[in-house]
Amino acid sequence: MAVENVELDDIDRALVGLLRRTGRMSYRDLGMEVALGASATADRVKRLERAGVIAGYSAVIDPETIGRTLRAAIDVRLPADGDHEGFEAGLATLDEVDLAAHVTGPFDYLILMAVAGVPRLDDIVRNWGHSFLAETSTRILLHTVELENQPG
């Protein structure tokens, strides 16, 4: 099914950016940021929701508050005859996985994780190695960069 592009004006882009950062803002507060009244802001947000630009809202969990103080990016390459479906099913069982993407390039997957520490990360990668992996490359994330100009 083809996705239809939606034309966004400057106010739409500003609203999407604000909601990406703080999805719980009231229509009044959003409107103050983009120089619109609460009703006009609500109408725009609802239009963006109907058009699929805003696909939903979710809570952003700070992994450190639940003991996951180590963040890692792991590149994974499966063997030529690797079981992609089985690997992906295994990823789905790990609540430490923040993002898993099938990618182009020398690796098959990019996985972003937040784990309790090096022993847990090592345990996860070792368990993959016994059944799925040809190669991994793991990088520890030192900090994330807050970007003001997010898409939208």
Side-chain angles (χ1 to χ4, degrees):
M1 182 165 121
V3 174
E4 205 172 303
N5 286 333
V6 176
E7 290 291 324
L8 302 180
D9 64 17
D10 290 341
I11 293 174
D12 291 336
R13 281 190 286 284
L15 288 170
V16 169
L18 288 163
L19 288 169
R20 282 177 57 109
R21 288 188 292 281
T22 313
R24 292 181 57 127
M25 289 181 78
S26 69
Y27 293 133
R28 183 180 69 78
D29 291 342
L30 281 169
M32 288 173 54
E33 293 287 332
V34 298
L36 289 177
S39 293
T41 301
D43 290 343
R44 279 185 176 251
V45 170
K46 288 175 184 170
R47 179 179 51 80
L48 292 167
E49 290 170 346
R50 280 191 308 274
V53 174
I54 298 173
Y57 299 89
S58 63
V60 177
I61 308 302
D62 180 352
E64 290 189 17
T65 65
I66 57 174
R68 296 186 184 154
T69 58
L70 183 71
R71 299 198 51 189
I74 306 167
D75 293 309
V76 173
R77 185 169 57 80
L78 302 184
D81 62 347
D83 179 6
H84 289 260
E85 289 176 5
F87 180 70
E88 290 177 13
L91 287 176
T93 68
L94 296 170
D95 62 333
E96 292 100 337
V97 174
D98 290 330
L99 173 96
H102 189 228
V103 296
T104 62
F107 289 95
D108 297 309
Y109 292 91
L110 168 65
I111 300 157
L112 299 179
M113 303 184 87
V115 297
V118 171
R120 176 62 180 147
L121 179 62
D122 184 49
D123 181 52
I124 291 169
V125 174
R126 283 179 187 262
N127 282 334
W128 286 340
H130 288 90
S131 52
F132 290 108
L133 306 184
E135 179 181 2
T136 64
S137 175
T138 302
R139 290 160 287 150
I140 303 301
L141 281 61
L142 301 175
H143 74 272
T144 55
V145 179
E146 296 297 322
L147 302 174
E148 289 296 319
N149 297 332
Q150 289 292 319

